[in-house]
PDB file of all heavy atoms in Angstrom:
ATOM      1  N   ARG A  12     143.474  52.236  88.580  1.00 96.00           N
ATOM      2  CA  ARG A  12     144.006  52.045  87.231  1.00 96.00           C
ATOM      3  C   ARG A  12     143.872  50.591  86.789  1.00 96.00           C
ATOM      4  O   ARG A  12     144.485  50.184  85.803  1.00 96.00           O
ATOM      5  CB  ARG A  12     145.477  52.473  87.181  1.00 96.00           C
ATOM      6  CG  ARG A  12     145.741  53.915  87.601  1.00 96.00           C
ATOM      7  CD  ARG A  12     144.854  54.911  86.873  1.00 96.00           C
ATOM      8  NE  ARG A  12     145.065  54.870  85.445  1.00 96.00           N
ATOM      9  CZ  ARG A  12     145.906  55.676  84.787  1.00 96.00           C
ATOM     10  NH1 ARG A  12     146.596  56.590  85.449  1.00 96.00           N
ATOM     11  NH2 ARG A  12     146.037  55.587  83.480  1.00 96.00           N
ATOM     12  N   VAL A  13     143.077  49.824  87.509  1.00 96.00           N
ATOM     13  CA  VAL A  13     142.837  48.426  87.150  1.00 96.00           C
ATOM     14  C   VAL A  13     141.881  48.370  85.968  1.00 96.00           C
ATOM     15  O   VAL A  13     140.846  49.037  85.958  1.00 96.00           O
ATOM     16  CB  VAL A  13     142.237  47.653  88.345  1.00 96.00           C
ATOM     17  CG1 VAL A  13     141.915  46.215  87.950  1.00 96.00           C
ATOM     18  CG2 VAL A  13     143.194  47.688  89.528  1.00 96.00           C
ATOM     19  N   VAL A  14     142.230  47.572  84.966  1.00 98.00           N
ATOM     20  CA  VAL A  14     141.336  47.343  83.834  1.00 98.00           C
ATOM     21  C   VAL A  14     140.241  46.385  84.290  1.00 98.00           C
ATOM     22  O   VAL A  14     140.517  45.267  84.723  1.00 98.00           O
ATOM     23  CB  VAL A  14     142.096  46.763  82.628  1.00 98.00           C
ATOM     24  CG1 VAL A  14     141.128  46.416  81.501  1.00 98.00           C
ATOM     25  CG2 VAL A  14     143.148  47.756  82.143  1.00 98.00           C
ATOM     26  N   LEU A  15     138.995  46.825  84.218  1.00 98.00           N
ATOM     27  CA  LEU A  15     137.892  46.062  84.779  1.00 98.00           C
ATOM     28  C   LEU A  15     137.456  44.939  83.841  1.00 98.00           C
ATOM     29  O   LEU A  15     137.308  45.150  82.640  1.00 98.00           O
ATOM     30  CB  LEU A  15     136.719  46.995  85.075  1.00 98.00           C
ATOM     31  CG  LEU A  15     137.052  48.178  86.002  1.00 98.00           C
ATOM     32  CD1 LEU A  15     135.805  49.018  86.239  1.00 98.00           C
ATOM     33  CD2 LEU A  15     137.641  47.696  87.319  1.00 98.00           C
ATOM     34  N   PRO A  16     137.239  43.735  84.391  1.00 98.00           N
ATOM     35  CA  PRO A  16     136.927  42.574  83.552  1.00 98.00           C
ATOM     36  C   PRO A  16     135.454  42.473  83.182  1.00 98.00           C
ATOM     37  O   PRO A  16     134.582  43.003  83.881  1.00 98.00           O
ATOM     38  CB  PRO A  16     137.332  41.396  84.438  1.00 98.00           C
ATOM     39  CG  PRO A  16     137.045  41.881  85.824  1.00 98.00           C
ATOM     40  CD  PRO A  16     137.400  43.354  85.811  1.00 98.00           C
ATOM     41  N   GLU A  17     135.187  41.770  82.108  1.00 98.00           N
ATOM     42  CA  GLU A  17     133.809  41.477  81.743  1.00 98.00           C
ATOM     43  C   GLU A  17     133.203  40.562  82.794  1.00 98.00           C
ATOM     44  O   GLU A  17     133.834  39.604  83.254  1.00 98.00           O
ATOM     45  CB  GLU A  17     133.749  40.816  80.370  1.00 98.00           C
ATOM     46  CG  GLU A  17     132.338  40.564  79.884  1.00 98.00           C
ATOM     47  CD  GLU A  17     132.266  40.131  78.426  1.00 98.00           C
ATOM     48  OE1 GLU A  17     133.331  40.013  77.797  1.00 98.00           O
ATOM     49  OE2 GLU A  17     131.133  39.924  77.940  1.00 98.00           O
ATOM     50  N   GLY A  18     131.973  40.865  83.196  1.00 98.00           N
ATOM     51  CA  GLY A  18     131.308  40.082  84.228  1.00 98.00           C
ATOM     52  C   GLY A  18     131.430  40.667  85.617  1.00 98.00           C
ATOM     53  O   GLY A  18     130.845  40.137  86.567  1.00 98.00           O
ATOM     54  N   LEU A  19     132.159  41.767  85.757  1.00 98.00           N
ATOM     55  CA  LEU A  19     132.281  42.419  87.057  1.00 98.00           C
ATOM     56  C   LEU A  19     130.946  43.056  87.445  1.00 98.00           C
ATOM     57  O   LEU A  19     130.321  43.745  86.648  1.00 98.00           O
ATOM     58  CB  LEU A  19     133.366  43.494  87.016  1.00 98.00           C
ATOM     59  CG  LEU A  19     133.630  44.228  88.335  1.00 98.00           C
ATOM     60  CD1 LEU A  19     134.388  43.334  89.303  1.00 98.00           C
ATOM     61  CD2 LEU A  19     134.421  45.516  88.090  1.00 98.00           C
ATOM     62  N   ALA A  20     130.521  42.831  88.688  1.00 98.00           N
ATOM     63  CA  ALA A  20     129.337  43.509  89.230  1.00 98.00           C
ATOM     64  C   ALA A  20     129.825  44.679  90.061  1.00 98.00           C
ATOM     65  O   ALA A  20     130.598  44.503  91.006  1.00 98.00           O
ATOM     66  CB  ALA A  20     128.525  42.550  90.096  1.00 98.00           C
ATOM     67  N   VAL A  21     129.390  45.880  89.703  1.00 98.00           N
ATOM     68  CA  VAL A  21     129.879  47.076  90.390  1.00 98.00           C
ATOM     69  C   VAL A  21     128.721  48.031  90.670  1.00 98.00           C
ATOM     70  O   VAL A  21     127.780  48.140  89.877  1.00 98.00           O
ATOM     71  CB  VAL A  21     130.994  47.762  89.561  1.00 98.00           C
ATOM     72  CG1 VAL A  21     130.467  48.248  88.233  1.00 98.00           C
ATOM     73  CG2 VAL A  21     131.653  48.903  90.325  1.00 98.00           C
ATOM     74  N   SER A  22     128.782  48.687  91.814  1.00 98.00           N
ATOM     75  CA  SER A  22     127.736  49.651  92.152  1.00 98.00           C
ATOM     76  C   SER A  22     127.955  50.949  91.391  1.00 98.00           C
ATOM     77  O   SER A  22     129.081  51.292  91.035  1.00 98.00           O
ATOM     78  CB  SER A  22     127.723  49.923  93.660  1.00 98.00           C
ATOM     79  OG  SER A  22     128.902  50.588  94.071  1.00 98.00           O
ATOM     80  N   ALA A  23     126.866  51.644  91.147  1.00 98.00           N
ATOM     81  CA  ALA A  23     126.902  52.956  90.492  1.00 98.00           C
ATOM     82  C   ALA A  23     126.242  53.925  91.457  1.00 98.00           C
ATOM     83  O   ALA A  23     125.018  54.055  91.479  1.00 98.00           O
ATOM     84  CB  ALA A  23     126.156  52.905  89.158  1.00 98.00           C
ATOM     85  N   GLU A  24     127.048  54.620  92.283  1.00 98.00           N
ATOM     86  CA  GLU A  24     126.458  55.351  93.410  1.00 98.00           C
ATOM     87  C   GLU A  24     127.127  56.693  93.715  1.00 98.00           C
ATOM     88  O   GLU A  24     127.666  56.896  94.799  1.00 98.00           O
ATOM     89  CB  GLU A  24     126.467  54.487  94.664  1.00 98.00           C
ATOM     90  CG  GLU A  24     127.820  53.895  95.041  1.00 98.00           C
ATOM     91  CD  GLU A  24     127.768  53.185  96.384  1.00 98.00           C
ATOM     92  OE1 GLU A  24     127.224  53.760  97.340  1.00 98.00           O
ATOM     93  OE2 GLU A  24     128.285  52.059  96.463  1.00 98.00           O
ATOM     94  N   PRO A  25     127.080  57.637  92.785  1.00 98.00           N
ATOM     95  CA  PRO A  25     127.586  58.971  93.124  1.00 98.00           C
ATOM     96  C   PRO A  25     126.669  59.646  94.137  1.00 98.00           C
ATOM     97  O   PRO A  25     125.510  59.255  94.312  1.00 98.00           O
ATOM     98  CB  PRO A  25     127.552  59.697  91.784  1.00 98.00           C
ATOM     99  CG  PRO A  25     126.421  59.046  91.049  1.00 98.00           C
ATOM    100  CD  PRO A  25     126.475  57.587  91.438  1.00 98.00           C
ATOM    101  N   GLY A  26     127.188  60.666  94.787  1.00 98.00           N
ATOM    102  CA  GLY A  26     126.373  61.396  95.750  1.00 98.00           C
ATOM    103  C   GLY A  26     126.898  62.802  95.966  1.00 98.00           C
ATOM    104  O   GLY A  26     128.049  63.113  95.640  1.00 98.00           O
ATOM    105  N   ILE A  27     126.062  63.640  96.503  1.00 98.00           N
ATOM    106  CA  ILE A  27     126.433  64.992  96.923  1.00 98.00           C
ATOM    107  C   ILE A  27     125.948  65.148  98.355  1.00 98.00           C
ATOM    108  O   ILE A  27     124.783  64.852  98.666  1.00 98.00           O
ATOM    109  CB  ILE A  27     125.798  66.068  96.029  1.00 98.00           C
ATOM    110  CG1 ILE A  27     126.370  65.996  94.601  1.00 98.00           C
ATOM    111  CG2 ILE A  27     126.017  67.464  96.613  1.00 98.00           C
ATOM    112  CD1 ILE A  27     125.678  66.930  93.617  1.00 98.00           C
ATOM    113  N   TYR A  28     126.846  65.612  99.243  1.00 98.00           N
ATOM    114  CA  TYR A  28     126.544  65.699 100.659  1.00 98.00           C
ATOM    115  C   TYR A  28     126.913  67.093 101.179  1.00 98.00           C
ATOM    116  O   TYR A  28     128.095  67.444 101.239  1.00 98.00           O
ATOM    117  CB  TYR A  28     127.326  64.622 101.427  1.00 98.00           C
ATOM    118  CG  TYR A  28     127.194  63.258 100.788  1.00 98.00           C
ATOM    119  CD1 TYR A  28     128.156  62.808  99.879  1.00 98.00           C
ATOM    120  CD2 TYR A  28     126.099  62.437 101.047  1.00 98.00           C
ATOM    121  CE1 TYR A  28     128.032  61.569  99.261  1.00 98.00           C
ATOM    122  CE2 TYR A  28     125.968  61.201 100.438  1.00 98.00           C
ATOM    123  CZ  TYR A  28     126.938  60.774  99.535  1.00 98.00           C
ATOM    124  OH  TYR A  28     126.808  59.557  98.922  1.00 98.00           O
ATOM    125  N   LEU A  29     125.914  67.871 101.517  1.00 98.00           N
ATOM    126  CA  LEU A  29     126.109  69.229 102.013  1.00 98.00           C
ATOM    127  C   LEU A  29     126.034  69.187 103.534  1.00 98.00           C
ATOM    128  O   LEU A  29     124.941  69.028 104.102  1.00 98.00           O
ATOM    129  CB  LEU A  29     125.034  70.160 101.439  1.00 98.00           C
ATOM    130  CG  LEU A  29     124.916  70.166  99.902  1.00 98.00           C
ATOM    131  CD1 LEU A  29     123.804  71.106  99.466  1.00 98.00           C
ATOM    132  CD2 LEU A  29     126.249  70.547  99.251  1.00 98.00           C
ATOM    133  N   PRO A  30     127.177  69.286 104.219  1.00 98.00           N
ATOM    134  CA  PRO A  30     127.225  69.064 105.671  1.00 98.00           C
ATOM    135  C   PRO A  30     126.219  69.905 106.444  1.00 98.00           C
ATOM    136  O   PRO A  30     126.069  71.108 106.218  1.00 98.00           O
ATOM    137  CB  PRO A  30     128.664  69.464 106.038  1.00 98.00           C
ATOM    138  CG  PRO A  30     129.450  69.238 104.780  1.00 98.00           C
ATOM    139  CD  PRO A  30     128.509  69.614 103.666  1.00 98.00           C
ATOM    140  N   GLY A  31     125.497  69.220 107.336  1.00 95.00           N
ATOM    141  CA  GLY A  31     124.531  69.897 108.190  1.00 95.00           C
ATOM    142  C   GLY A  31     123.244  70.293 107.510  1.00 95.00           C
ATOM    143  O   GLY A  31     122.352  70.861 108.153  1.00 95.00           O
ATOM    144  N   ARG A  32     123.120  69.996 106.221  1.00 98.00           N
ATOM    145  CA  ARG A  32     121.926  70.407 105.477  1.00 98.00           C
ATOM    146  C   ARG A  32     121.179  69.196 104.909  1.00 98.00           C
ATOM    147  O   ARG A  32     120.128  68.823 105.391  1.00 98.00           O
ATOM    148  CB  ARG A  32     122.318  71.378 104.370  1.00 98.00           C
ATOM    149  CG  ARG A  32     122.986  72.661 104.916  1.00 98.00           C
ATOM    150  CD  ARG A  32     123.299  73.611 103.793  1.00 98.00           C
ATOM    151  NE  ARG A  32     122.047  74.015 103.133  1.00 98.00           N
ATOM    152  CZ  ARG A  32     121.971  74.372 101.853  1.00 98.00           C
ATOM    153  NH1 ARG A  32     123.058  74.369 101.096  1.00 98.00           N
ATOM    154  NH2 ARG A  32     120.814  74.723 101.340  1.00 98.00           N
ATOM    155  N   PHE A  33     121.714  68.582 103.878  1.00 98.00           N
ATOM    156  CA  PHE A  33     121.098  67.381 103.303  1.00 98.00           C
ATOM    157  C   PHE A  33     122.077  66.721 102.341  1.00 98.00           C
ATOM    158  O   PHE A  33     123.102  67.304 101.963  1.00 98.00           O
ATOM    159  CB  PHE A  33     119.774  67.695 102.587  1.00 98.00           C
ATOM    160  CG  PHE A  33     119.913  68.590 101.377  1.00 98.00           C
ATOM    161  CD1 PHE A  33     120.259  68.073 100.133  1.00 98.00           C
ATOM    162  CD2 PHE A  33     119.677  69.956 101.476  1.00 98.00           C
ATOM    163  CE1 PHE A  33     120.380  68.891  99.015  1.00 98.00           C
ATOM    164  CE2 PHE A  33     119.787  70.792 100.365  1.00 98.00           C
ATOM    165  CZ  PHE A  33     120.148  70.251  99.138  1.00 98.00           C
ATOM    166  N   GLY A  34     121.750  65.507 101.960  1.00 98.00           N
ATOM    167  CA  GLY A  34     122.559  64.786 100.984  1.00 98.00           C
ATOM    168  C   GLY A  34     121.682  63.977 100.064  1.00 98.00           C
ATOM    169  O   GLY A  34     120.515  63.694 100.367  1.00 98.00           O
ATOM    170  N   VAL A  35     122.249  63.589  98.917  1.00 98.00           N
ATOM    171  CA  VAL A  35     121.545  62.771  97.929  1.00 98.00           C
ATOM    172  C   VAL A  35     122.509  61.707  97.417  1.00 98.00           C
ATOM    173  O   VAL A  35     123.650  62.001  97.046  1.00 98.00           O
ATOM    174  CB  VAL A  35     121.046  63.615  96.738  1.00 98.00           C
ATOM    175  CG1 VAL A  35     120.461  62.704  95.648  1.00 98.00           C
ATOM    176  CG2 VAL A  35     120.019  64.635  97.190  1.00 98.00           C
ATOM    177  N   ARG A  36     122.055  60.469  97.391  1.00 98.00           N
ATOM    178  CA  ARG A  36     122.795  59.388  96.733  1.00 98.00           C
ATOM    179  C   ARG A  36     121.796  58.521  95.976  1.00 98.00           C
ATOM    180  O   ARG A  36     120.694  58.265  96.472  1.00 98.00           O
ATOM    181  CB  ARG A  36     123.586  58.538  97.736  1.00 98.00           C
ATOM    182  CG  ARG A  36     124.404  57.432  97.067  1.00 98.00           C
ATOM    183  CD  ARG A  36     125.409  56.773  98.014  1.00 98.00           C
ATOM    184  NE  ARG A  36     124.799  56.070  99.132  1.00 98.00           N
ATOM    185  CZ  ARG A  36     124.742  56.533 100.361  1.00 98.00           C
ATOM    186  NH1 ARG A  36     125.213  57.741 100.655  1.00 98.00           N
ATOM    187  NH2 ARG A  36     124.172  55.826 101.329  1.00 98.00           N
ATOM    188  N   ILE A  37     122.179  58.084  94.786  1.00 98.00           N
ATOM    189  CA  ILE A  37     121.360  57.169  93.976  1.00 98.00           C
ATOM    190  C   ILE A  37     122.277  56.025  93.579  1.00 98.00           C
ATOM    191  O   ILE A  37     123.370  56.251  93.053  1.00 98.00           O
ATOM    192  CB  ILE A  37     120.812  57.871  92.722  1.00 98.00           C
ATOM    193  CG1 ILE A  37     120.029  59.131  93.098  1.00 98.00           C
ATOM    194  CG2 ILE A  37     119.935  56.903  91.919  1.00 98.00           C
ATOM    195  CD1 ILE A  37     119.689  60.011  91.898  1.00 98.00           C
ATOM    196  N   GLU A  38     121.833  54.802  93.832  1.00 98.00           N
ATOM    197  CA  GLU A  38     122.706  53.642  93.572  1.00 98.00           C
ATOM    198  C   GLU A  38     121.975  52.515  92.856  1.00 98.00           C
ATOM    199  O   GLU A  38     120.901  52.088  93.274  1.00 98.00           O
ATOM    200  CB  GLU A  38     123.253  53.113  94.899  1.00 98.00           C
ATOM    201  CG  GLU A  38     124.131  51.882  94.760  1.00 98.00           C
ATOM    202  CD  GLU A  38     124.571  51.334  96.105  1.00 98.00           C
ATOM    203  OE1 GLU A  38     123.948  51.691  97.121  1.00 98.00           O
ATOM    204  OE2 GLU A  38     125.531  50.549  96.142  1.00 98.00           O
ATOM    205  N   ASP A  39     122.582  52.054  91.780  1.00 98.00           N
ATOM    206  CA  ASP A  39     122.177  50.836  91.083  1.00 98.00           C
ATOM    207  C   ASP A  39     123.358  49.868  91.106  1.00 98.00           C
ATOM    208  O   ASP A  39     124.469  50.232  91.502  1.00 98.00           O
ATOM    209  CB  ASP A  39     121.818  51.133  89.624  1.00 98.00           C
ATOM    210  CG  ASP A  39     120.597  52.030  89.465  1.00 98.00           C
ATOM    211  OD1 ASP A  39     119.878  52.235  90.463  1.00 98.00           O
ATOM    212  OD2 ASP A  39     120.384  52.535  88.355  1.00 98.00           O
ATOM    213  N   VAL A  40     123.134  48.651  90.631  1.00 98.00           N
ATOM    214  CA  VAL A  40     124.232  47.696  90.405  1.00 98.00           C
ATOM    215  C   VAL A  40     124.253  47.342  88.928  1.00 98.00           C
ATOM    216  O   VAL A  40     123.207  47.033  88.335  1.00 98.00           O
ATOM    217  CB  VAL A  40     124.070  46.429  91.268  1.00 98.00           C
ATOM    218  CG1 VAL A  40     125.072  45.353  90.843  1.00 98.00           C
ATOM    219  CG2 VAL A  40     124.272  46.765  92.742  1.00 98.00           C
ATOM    220  N   ILE A  41     125.448  47.403  88.335  1.00 98.00           N
ATOM    221  CA  ILE A  41     125.600  47.102  86.918  1.00 98.00           C
ATOM    222  C   ILE A  41     126.583  45.949  86.734  1.00 98.00           C
ATOM    223  O   ILE A  41     127.479  45.740  87.553  1.00 98.00           O
ATOM    224  CB  ILE A  41     126.091  48.348  86.131  1.00 98.00           C
ATOM    225  CG1 ILE A  41     127.400  48.886  86.722  1.00 98.00           C
ATOM    226  CG2 ILE A  41     125.009  49.436  86.144  1.00 98.00           C
ATOM    227  CD1 ILE A  41     127.975  50.088  85.984  1.00 98.00           C
TER     228      ILE A  41
END
C-alpha cells in the first residue's frame, strides 16, 4: 500500500509456473 515515488526503478516480471511441466516469466525494468 506504499505510494510509489517518481524515479523508482522497478521490475515488471509476472509469470506462470505449472509444477513439473513448464513455466514462463518475462521481465523488464521500468
Side-chain angles (χ1 to χ4, degrees):
R12 303 309 299 266
V13 177
V14 175
L15 304 181
E17 184 170 1
L19 182 74
V21 63
S22 67
E24 53 173 313
I27 294 174
Y28 311 94
L29 306 179
R32 300 182 62 208
F33 64 83
V35 173
R36 182 168 64 257
I37 305 169
E38 178 184 17
D39 295 347
V40 170
I41 56 178

